[in-house]
């Protein structure tokens, strides 16, 4: 399986289900209402990749991979094709935090003097430090608030699976990264098919899976198996979640290292909603935790955004242009097919080749990295940012559609009156 990257980051604002517990301070959804999701342009422009810093809509990106949101609302992007780390300030200006566009490498240094080699994921610690999965260097990098870039673990260009302190450890094209409240960094070591952990002291251990043993198995620590784990997230309780892309499932790892299948069934692909094992995914790529402990998943092969409750119930929130098999599987799920009136259009080489693309306000196309903004939006909604297509998209505020009042059993529509909807 080849590593694929997207050239768009989108911002979604979406209401959580009325049954979910809203975050503290967030207004709950109106009683008897259905959440609605929307998707609009946030920064960059479709079919116009580049590296220019500017105001949001004038800036350009080149195949951004991962996304992270700081506590102040700034959005950070691993701009994979440019080999840089970008920031979209809450006020709207896009700037390059570290690296120089088009200059790949592994050099540590300050800001533009540093070099990356296809950075594909990033996360932000409580102390403001940014951690980067520098995929083609097979290293984990760290950016201090001052802009200084250092190599936290691994050795550039030297793939492997060794545990150890900092530079003694080895990785194999890691694509996912997350950090918990204690400063432990979790890595989806994608082509070792393992999950690694880096302690605050810099010591690297293998949390789950066996290097070189691709497959599927639940169980304790190294008895478990993964197949190209692509993304990783950690909740407030310290439970780790993994988008196990090759198996098309979502996995969880308890604090004691026990691996479980949280949603989906290995080897069974599709776009099916339902409880845990009844749900189906198609090569999910990105995963993030929302304010109420819910998961949001970019179901890449289905061009869809999925939501998984803490109890494992899966729903489809937004979707692009699925193939006929996926479309058939969606019937009866209540999924919303993108924004109202949106039409898919080709956006870039990869999406265009598949005949699926995205324009402002349109459906998803090969969604990748995903991040949830801290807290919740008005009305109990969630604000999400997603890497997808060839630009950066922004969603409108959450809206709610009231449920139609239930009709009485014996009620009839008067002759000549419009049918009740």
């Amino acid at each position: 399986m080849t590593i694929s990257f997207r050239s768009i980051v989108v911002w979604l604002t979406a209401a959580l289900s009325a049954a979910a517990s809203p975050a503290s301070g967030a207004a709950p959804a109106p009683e008897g209402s259905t959440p609605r999701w929307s998707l609009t342009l946030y920064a960059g422009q479709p079919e116009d990749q580049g590296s220019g810093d500017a105001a949001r809509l004038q800036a350009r990106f080149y195949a951004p991979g991962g996304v992270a949101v700081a506590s102040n609302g700034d959005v950070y992007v691993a701009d994979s094709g440019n080999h840089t780390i970008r920031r979209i300030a809450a006020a709207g200006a896009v700037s390059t935090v570290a690296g120089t566009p088009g200059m790949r490498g592994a050099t540590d240094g300050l800001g533009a003097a540093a070099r990356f080699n296809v950075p594909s994921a990033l996360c932000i610690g409580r102390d403001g430090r940014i951690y980067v999965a520098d995929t083609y260097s097979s290293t984990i990098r760290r950016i201090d608030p001052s802009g200084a870039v250092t190599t936290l673990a691994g050795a550039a260009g030297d793939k492997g699976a060794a545990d150890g302190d900092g530079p003694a450890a080895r990785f194999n094209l890691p694509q996912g990264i997350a950090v918990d409240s204690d400063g432990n960094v979790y890595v989806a070591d994608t082509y070792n098919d393992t999950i690694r952990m880096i302690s605050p002291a810099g010591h690297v251990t293998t949390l789950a899976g066996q290097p070189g043993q691709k497959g599927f198995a639940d169980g304790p620590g190294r008895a478990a198996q993964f197949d190209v784990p692509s993304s990783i997230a950690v909740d407030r309780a310290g439970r780790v979640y993994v988008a196990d892309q090759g198996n098309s499932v979502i996995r969880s790892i308890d604090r004691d290292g026990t691996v479980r299948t949280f949603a989906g069934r290995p080897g069974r692909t599709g776009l099916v909603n339902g409880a845990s094992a009844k749900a189906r995914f198609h090569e999910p790529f990105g995963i993030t935790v929302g304010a109420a402990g819910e998961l949001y998943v970019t179901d890449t092969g289905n061009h869809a955004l999925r939501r998984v409750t803490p109890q494992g119930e899966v729903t489809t929130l937004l979707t692009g242009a699925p193939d006929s098999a996926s479309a058939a599987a969606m019937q009866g799920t209540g999924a919303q097919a993108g924004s109202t009136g949106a039409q898919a259009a080709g956006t870039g080489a990869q999406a265009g080749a598949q005949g699926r693309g995205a324009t402002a306000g349109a459906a998803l196309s090969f969604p990748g990295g995903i991040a949830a903004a801290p807290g919740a939006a008005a009305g109990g909604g969630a604000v999400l940012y997603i890497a997808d297509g060839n630009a950066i998209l922004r969603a409108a505020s959450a809206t709610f559609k009231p449920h139609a009042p239930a009709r009485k059993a014996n009620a009839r529509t008067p002759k000549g009156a419009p049918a009740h909807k």
Side-chain angles (χ1 to χ4, degrees), residues 149-378:
V149 179
T150 56
T151 300
L152 178 64
D158 191 1
K159 300 175 187 175
D163 290 336
D165 292 327
R170 295 292 182 270
F171 300 87
N172 189 357
L173 302 175
Q175 290 191 51
I177 194 165
V179 59
D180 67 17
S181 58
D182 295 326
N184 297 300
V185 175
Y186 299 88
V187 179
D189 196 359
T190 307
Y191 285 87
N192 275 326
D193 299 298
T194 58
I195 304 303
R196 316 289 292 279
M197 185 176 76
I198 309 173
S199 72
H203 185 71
V204 180
T205 55
T206 299
L207 180 63
Q210 282 280 4
Q213 294 190 17
K214 178 186 299 186
F216 174 84
D218 287 337
R222 296 202 175 203
Q225 291 182 336
F226 300 85
D227 186 357
V228 192
S230 61
S231 186
I232 195 166
V234 58
D235 67 14
R236 294 177 183 176
R239 175 181 277 190
V240 174
Y241 297 92
V242 180
D244 192 359
Q245 188 176 27
N247 283 315
S248 288
V249 295
I250 304 302
R251 315 288 290 278
S252 67
I253 308 175
D254 295 337
R255 293 185 70 92
D256 64 1
T258 301
V259 178
R260 310 175 193 275
T261 301
F262 192 66
R265 188 171 178 181
R268 302 288 183 90
T269 61
L271 184 56
V272 180
N273 294 330
S276 194
K278 294 182 179 180
R280 297 291 181 269
F281 300 85
H282 188 185
E283 298 188 349
F285 186 91
I287 190 168
T288 191
V289 180
E294 75 282 15
L295 302 179
Y296 295 98
V297 178
T298 51
D299 193 359
T300 305
N302 283 320
H303 312 280
L305 172 66
R306 316 290 295 277
R307 179 175 181 265
V308 188
T309 69
Q311 295 74 36
E313 186 75 23
V314 179
T315 55
T316 301
L317 305 177
L318 288 170
T319 183
D323 57 30
S324 57
S326 294
M330 273 186 58
Q331 292 183 12
T333 65
Q336 292 180 337
S339 302
T340 303
Q343 298 294 327
T347 60
Q350 183 188 38
Q354 298 295 330
R356 303 184 182 97
T359 57
L364 296 169
S365 174
F366 297 101
I370 183 170

Side-chain angles (χ1 to χ4, degrees), residues 12-272:
L12 291 172
T13 301
L16 302 178
S17 111
S21 299
S24 177
E31 185 177 355
S33 63
T34 299
R36 305 184 74 178
W37 292 71
S38 58
L39 181 65
T40 57
L41 187 66
Y42 183 62
Q45 291 293 327
E47 302 184 46
D48 193 3
Q49 62 194 26
S51 61
D53 289 336
R56 288 189 292 103
L57 297 179
Q58 284 71 50
R60 297 295 181 268
F61 300 83
Y62 182 17
V67 192
V69 187
S71 58
N72 67 351
D74 290 353
V75 177
Y76 289 82
V77 180
D79 198 356
S80 305
N82 278 320
H83 313 290
T84 57
I85 305 301
R86 314 284 292 282
R87 177 177 59 219
I88 308 171
V94 178
S95 59
T96 300
V97 174
T100 297
M103 302 289 288
R104 67 170 66 197
T107 305
D108 289 338
L110 184 65
R115 296 289 180 267
F116 297 88
N117 193 353
V118 192
S120 61
L122 74 173
C123 62
I124 304 173
R126 295 180 65 180
D127 58 2
R129 287 174 166 175
I130 301 170
Y131 299 89
V132 180
D134 196 4
T135 302
Y136 274 40
S137 287
S138 287
T139 58
I140 304 303
R141 315 289 291 280
R142 182 175 64 200
I143 307 175
D144 291 335
S146 66
V149 179
T150 56
T151 300
L152 178 64
D158 191 1
K159 300 175 187 175
D163 290 336
D165 292 327
R170 295 292 182 270
F171 300 87
N172 189 357
L173 302 175
Q175 290 191 51
I177 194 165
V179 59
D180 67 17
S181 58
D182 295 326
N184 297 300
V185 175
Y186 299 88
V187 179
D189 196 359
T190 307
Y191 285 87
N192 275 326
D193 299 298
T194 58
I195 304 303
R196 316 289 292 279
M197 185 176 76
I198 309 173
S199 72
H203 185 71
V204 180
T205 55
T206 299
L207 180 63
Q210 282 280 4
Q213 294 190 17
K214 178 186 299 186
F216 174 84
D218 287 337
R222 296 202 175 203
Q225 291 182 336
F226 300 85
D227 186 357
V228 192
S230 61
S231 186
I232 195 166
V234 58
D235 67 14
R236 294 177 183 176
R239 175 181 277 190
V240 174
Y241 297 92
V242 180
D244 192 359
Q245 188 176 27
N247 283 315
S248 288
V249 295
I250 304 302
R251 315 288 290 278
S252 67
I253 308 175
D254 295 337
R255 293 185 70 92
D256 64 1
T258 301
V259 178
R260 310 175 193 275
T261 301
F262 192 66
R265 188 171 178 181
R268 302 288 183 90
T269 61
L271 184 56
V272 180

